[in-house]
Amino acid sequence: MTVVTPPAPTAQPASPASTSSTSSTAQPALIPCKRLPAGQPREWYESHNRKLKAMRLASALLNSGVYHPTQASDRRIRAIAPLVGVHPPSTATCRLVRRLMLH
């Protein structure tokens, strides 16, 4: 008597489309960091880093379903900051996030 067993399933690499997560808590892709140019005034660095932080937060808000600046309160923006991996933003950064969402 011969016992026939089905072949074992083979592991196939998953396509990127099937592995992407559509949940609202998905981490955004991190942008590779470059060194900032030396010799700029301190205000330039603060402004530059504020813009980068605001872009990350605006992107996370859009991914979570907040599509209009009126939906993005300071509280909501600050709540999403830990999910992105940044410190809670200041009021000025929250204003910048809303301004970025207009465009």
Side-chain angles (χ1 to χ4, degrees), residues 28-87:
L30 294 178
I31 300 169
C33 295
K34 296 182 193 177
R35 294 190 69 93
L36 294 176
Q40 299 290 333
R42 181 175 180 83
E43 294 80 24
W44 184 89
Y45 294 106
E46 290 172 356
S47 172
H48 180 77
N49 288 333
R50 185 184 309 276
K51 290 174 190 174
L52 290 178
K53 186 177 197 176
M55 284 190 282
R56 285 189 182 106
L57 290 168
S59 175
L61 285 168
L62 291 170
N63 288 338
S64 68
V66 178
Y67 299 114
H68 199 270
T70 57
Q71 298 172 318
S73 64
D74 286 357
R75 179 179 289 175
R76 183 173 277 182
I77 294 170
R78 289 185 177 119
I80 206 158
L83 300 175
V84 178
V86 297
H87 291 288

